[in-house]
Amino acid sequence: VQLQASGGGLVQPGGSLRLSCAFSGSTLDYGMIGWFRQSPGNEREGVSVFDRGMRTTRYADSVKGRFTMSRDDAKSMVYLQMNDLKPEDTAVYYCATRKNRLIVSAALSAAHYNYWGQGTLVTVSS
């Protein structure tokens, strides 16, 4: 599968952006779909992950209540709506997926995902 993320850009603090991720194949074939981010000097961290088996979406504590992940399986698209953005949200954002499900404790760990998009840069600055 190939993933292509888009929608990044420059936004002021408190603003919003919606990221999109297009799958070359069907999203229904993948047990875990997630958004991750990486800022300079930091490791790639999980932002939100959809677990198809549990039909649940998990979020990092740092984005709970501000970010919402959604899917349109018919269009093979995944989205990340980001509201109330903060300067610390500045990063390159990636979508990723894997076939098999993960245990809860591993769901937000980037090391367990083997298909990645190219990333889209989000800059939050005044």
Side-chain angles (χ1 to χ4, degrees):
V1 65
Q2 293 184 333
L3 310 178
Q4 183 157 1
S6 61
L10 173 64
V11 62
Q12 292 186 342
S16 298
L17 279 177
R18 188 175 85 149
L19 305 183
S20 300
C21 178
F23 276 55
S24 62
S26 174
T27 52
L28 295 173
D29 292 337
Y30 298 90
M32 306 290 289
I33 301 173
W35 285 97
F36 297 79
R37 67 186 182 186
Q38 188 168 21
S39 55
N42 293 316
E43 294 186 355
R44 195 168 297 187
E45 63 174 353
V47 174
S48 66
V49 172
F50 172 69
D51 180 332
R52 186 171 299 282
M54 296 294 290
R55 298 201 68 78
T56 58
T57 302
R58 307 186 188 281
Y59 296 90
D61 289 343
S62 58
V63 306
K64 281 181 182 176
R66 301 188 297 121
F67 290 13
T68 302
M69 181 179 177
S70 61
R71 300 165 351 270
D72 185 336
D73 291 328
K75 295 182 178 179
S76 297
M77 295 291 295
V78 179
Y79 305 99
L80 183 68
Q81 178 66 43
M82 305 185 295
N83 298 328
D84 189 23
L85 282 160
K86 303 176 181 182
E88 52 263 42
D89 294 318
T90 295
V92 177
Y93 284 72
Y94 301 88
C95 55
T97 192
R98 56 173 282 140
K99 287 275 191 176
N100 300 320
R101 291 181 55 219
L102 291 166
I103 59 175
V104 172
S105 60
L108 286 169
S109 173
H112 298 296
Y113 290 76
N114 44 8
Y115 300 103
W116 291 86
Q118 84 289 4
T120 184
L121 176 62
V122 172
T123 303
V124 184
S125 175
S126 55

